[in-house]
Every structure is written in structure tokens, then in C-alpha cells.
Amino acid sequence: MKITQLSVYQKNLSLKDPYWLSGGRLKFEVLDATFVKVETDSGLVGWGEGTPWGHTYVPAHGPGIRAGIETMAPAILGQDPRKVELVERAMDTCLPGHLYAKQPIDLACWDIMGKAFGLPIADLLGGKRDTGTPVASSVSSGEPDYMMDIIKQYRDKGYIAHSAKVGGSDTKKDIERIRHIEANRLDNEIILYDVNRAWTRREASIVMNAVSDLGVTFEQPGETLDDIAQIRSVTTSPISVDETLVTLQDAARIARDGLADVFGIKLNRVGGLTKARRMRDIAIEHGIQMFIMATGGSVMADTESAHLAQSIPDAFIRACWSCQDMLIEDIAPGSGPRCVDGFITIDDTPGLGVTPDESLLGEPVAVYR
Ligand code: MG
């Protein structure tokens, strides 16, 4: 089987509500999404999506995905999409780094492989659990009561996992937020306090030590892995790393040096499923639990995360994240798994299990053949 054509689509996905990152320092209203249709000489077609969370959050860029695909297209055409590691090597040789540009191609290849073998991607990744994965809500930073109200709204919809955004220079307010939310947390609820790099080392130390009796988990409490290592040395609360978990070497360092207890694997950032599954295996081998997320995007990106999440044993999966309900437009109505009662569940549909409505994507911005 050979890849014969790549069609690239660009779509602006508007958020229903503007979103403020931890510390209130960055605002997001529209996501620049790239959709890729990969066609083969077998007639099988695969779809991928790459949607960074804007271009100010981490080093990733919507136009960069499309420029990367233009550069890599000659190396991708002619490859057998079922041989995902050969495609991976071809892309890495042709364009070192730029992992976020490779993820949509990687996803489309997994989609085709699943269709070729008649299995959902989660089964190709080793086998899926029978049960779905809890979806984490995303709770914007604000006054403690305001944050608790958001958690209650999600709780009423069945959500048991919540990612509450904290961070910034007002350490007293963060301590107040965390104590208030924990005082109102239900026994079965999983709450992650996501700092999104918004603390200095000093602020991290103050807040984390002030609530160390609660045993709550903090995500990305510092900017870099060196910052995390220093924060780790002066605090005892569990730590999750996501923004600075980019390469397999990062994963190996975090595991070996004991920098974190949870991996937050974001598929667009790490370059797709082929690379992410190795991080999953390092995590399991080291007793590290996982949050699996797209960086953002449609039901297609959510479903990619849900496949990887459902290939992870119960003891190691914390939750995944779903962006589809934050968007105004649905590019694949009636297709793919939806978040039901706070869980997302992969069925036995071969491949990704989502096909976009092409009429909603407009004309391709580039076609390579
Ligand atoms: Mg995070």
C-alpha cells in the first residue's frame, strides 16, 4: 500500500467562550486547525487533525503545520501508511524537530492502518480497556466560589475529573482556591491543579508547601524541567508535567530522575501516537500515571486522545480531555465518540472512527500528489 495524495485543509475553530490561561496572561478565542486527508492506492483513506492551542501557549503554530507538511510531502508520498515507524523516520529525516507538524500525518496513517486491519486504533496500540475514560473539565481561574460553581456544573453532567487552573503572583489567593475546592471535593473526584508554568520557583514553593497536608497534584508548577527539579526538591506534593514533556528523552529524564508522578501527554505537542505510545510505556514501567490530551481541536483530536487513553490500564490512566464541547462548530456531526456523562468511550469502529463532513472544511489549501 502506498500513499498517493495528501490534501490539506485549514479551518478556524471558534471557542464558545474566550479562554484565559492560568495567571490570566493569555487569552484564546479561535484555534487554527489543520485537517489532512491521506489517500492511498488501495482506496483506503485516513484523516488527521493538528490543532495547537493558539501560537502563544507552547512552541506550535497552525501555519507551521501546513508549511511542515509542504516540506515533508515528497518524503511522505509513496510510503506505506501501515508502517507508521517508517513514515515517522521519513518525516524526522526530512524535517528534524517540528513534532507538532507531524502529528496529523501520523494520525492519518494510524487511521488507515486500523481500517486495513479492521481494528480501532486503541486495539492497535495494544488493546483497549472495556470501560471508557473520564474526561476532565477545564476550570478557568477565578474566585474560589466561581471555580467551585464551574466544578458543580460539570459534576451535574457526570464529570468526575477536573483540571482547575491556578497560578500567578497572588499566592494567598491560590492557597484559598485550593483549600476551598478540596473542602468541597467529592470522594470520587480527581482534581488536578494546573499551573501552566505561571509560578516562579518561590511562588511554587510557598503554595505547594502551604497545602502539602492535602496531597493534591500540581501540573507544570514551573517553566522548565530544571525549574520542576528544583521545585520538586523543596516540596512534597505530587507533580504532573505536560508542557515540558515533549520528547522521549524528556520522558526518560522525568522518569529516571523522579521529577514527576504524572505525565500529561498532549498528542500534538509530542508528535502523534507513534511517539506518544513510547512515553506511555516509559510511564507504566516507572509507576507514573497519565493524563492524555489533544492540545485542542475537534472531535477528531479528542478521539485520537481517547484511543491512547483507552489503551492504558486503569491503574495508570487519570483522565483525558475533550475540547469538542468548547467549540461553536462541529466538523463531523454524527461521527465519532462524544463525551457522555463525563466519559468518552471508543467503540470497535476500525481506525480512528471519525470522518469529517468535507463540505464543512471548504476547499483544500494544498494538495500534494
Ligand atoms: Mg496542563
Side-chain angles (χ1 to χ4, degrees):
M1 191 191 300
K2 282 185 168 32
I3 295 174
T4 53
Q5 183 164 306
L6 308 172
S7 304
V8 181
Y9 302 80
Q10 190 277 334
K11 178 99 183 159
N12 284 331
L13 301 175
S14 297
L15 299 176
K16 286 176 185 165
D17 300 305
Y19 186 92
W20 293 92
L21 204 65
S22 297
R25 67 200 193 284
L26 296 171
K27 186 183 186 187
F28 301 90
E29 292 174 289
V30 178
L31 305 179
D32 178 344
T34 301
F35 295 91
V36 185
K37 181 184 186 184
V38 173
E39 293 174 67
T40 65
D41 60 2
S42 71
L44 289 176
V45 171
W47 281 93
E49 173 186 0
T51 306
W53 191 255
H55 57 266
T56 50
Y57 167 53
V58 292
H61 188 212
I65 294 180
R66 298 182 292 275
I69 292 172
E70 181 179 6
T71 300
M72 295 185 292
I76 297 166
L77 291 166
Q79 295 285 339
D80 184 335
R82 297 168 301 180
K83 299 175 182 175
V84 288
E85 293 190 3
L86 296 188
V87 178
E88 177 196 26
R89 264 174 248 158
M91 291 195 289
D92 284 345
T93 303
C94 175
L95 183 69
H98 299 273
L99 298 173
Y100 66 95
K102 296 165 179 170
Q103 170 263 328
I105 299 290
D106 178 77
L107 174 56
C109 289
W110 279 91
D111 186 22
I112 292 169
M113 180 167 36
K115 288 168 179 166
F117 293 121
L119 290 170
I121 290 172
D123 278 342
L124 298 177
L125 289 167
K128 66 179 167 71
R129 282 180 285 111
D130 292 336
T131 50
T133 305
V135 175
S137 70
S138 192
V139 181
S140 266
S141 204
E143 289 298 318
D145 279 335
Y146 165 81
M147 294 180 74
M148 203 54 232
D149 283 347
I150 297 177
I151 290 173
K152 282 177 185 158
Q153 285 167 27
Y154 278 105
R155 186 184 284 168
D156 290 345
K157 292 183 201 163
Y159 283 69
I160 59 165
H162 309 279
S163 174
K165 308 302 171 185
V166 295
S169 57
D170 191 346
T171 49
K172 277 205 179 84
K173 182 63 79 181
D174 271 337
I175 294 166
E176 223 182 285
R177 288 179 179 119
I178 294 162
R179 290 215 172 270
H180 181 69
I181 292 171
E182 285 302 305
N184 290 282
R185 184 173 64 82
L186 302 180
D187 279 349
N188 67 337
E189 281 179 327
I190 301 163
I191 301 184
L192 182 75
Y193 293 92
D194 190 357
V195 188
N196 286 130
R197 300 167 292 159
W199 281 336
T200 59
R201 293 182 181 191
R202 185 186 68 86
E203 288 155 356
S205 164
I206 289 171
V207 179
M208 290 169 71
N209 285 325
V211 299
S212 62
D213 57 305
L214 299 173
V216 301
T217 304
F218 291 92
E219 186 162 271
Q220 201 68 41
E223 183 76 33
T224 65
L225 282 185
D226 286 340
D227 293 329
I228 301 276
Q230 192 278 340
I231 291 165
R232 183 73 155 173
S233 72
V234 296
T235 60
T236 55
S237 297
I239 291 177
S240 168
V241 168
D242 66 343
E243 277 111 312
T244 51
L245 172 56
V246 182
T247 67
L248 196 62
Q249 289 222 6
D250 295 332
R253 177 185 169 193
I254 294 165
R256 184 188 59 231
D257 294 350
L259 301 187
D261 313 279
V262 179
F263 278 3
I265 301 177
K266 281 201 164 81
L267 283 157
N268 179 254
R269 189 187 45 235
V270 305
L273 291 163
T274 303
K275 294 180 188 298
R277 69 170 162 172
R278 301 185 188 117
M279 293 181 174
R280 171 199 67 181
D281 296 343
I282 285 182
I284 291 172
E285 185 68 14
H286 291 82
I288 291 171
Q289 294 182 313
M290 284 163 272
F291 256 96
I292 307 296
M293 297 158 278
T295 43
S298 77
V299 59
M300 204 182 291
D302 292 343
T303 305
E304 179 187 24
S305 309
H307 277 283
L308 180 61
Q310 212 165 318
S311 79
I312 295 171
D314 280 318
F316 288 93
I317 185 72
R318 298 286 287 168
C320 60
W321 178 63
S322 171
C323 183
Q324 55 188 283
D325 294 333
M326 297 170 76
L327 303 176
I328 290 173
E329 194 175 355
D330 182 353
I331 55 93
S335 179
R338 304 293 158 155
C339 183
V340 178
D341 298 334
F343 282 74
I344 192 162
T345 308
I346 295 298
D347 65 16
D348 288 326
T349 307
L352 180 65
V354 186
T355 305
D357 179 340
E358 285 185 58
S359 70
L360 299 176
L361 299 182
E363 290 300 310
V365 294
V367 176
Y368 306 99
R369 55 169 74 91

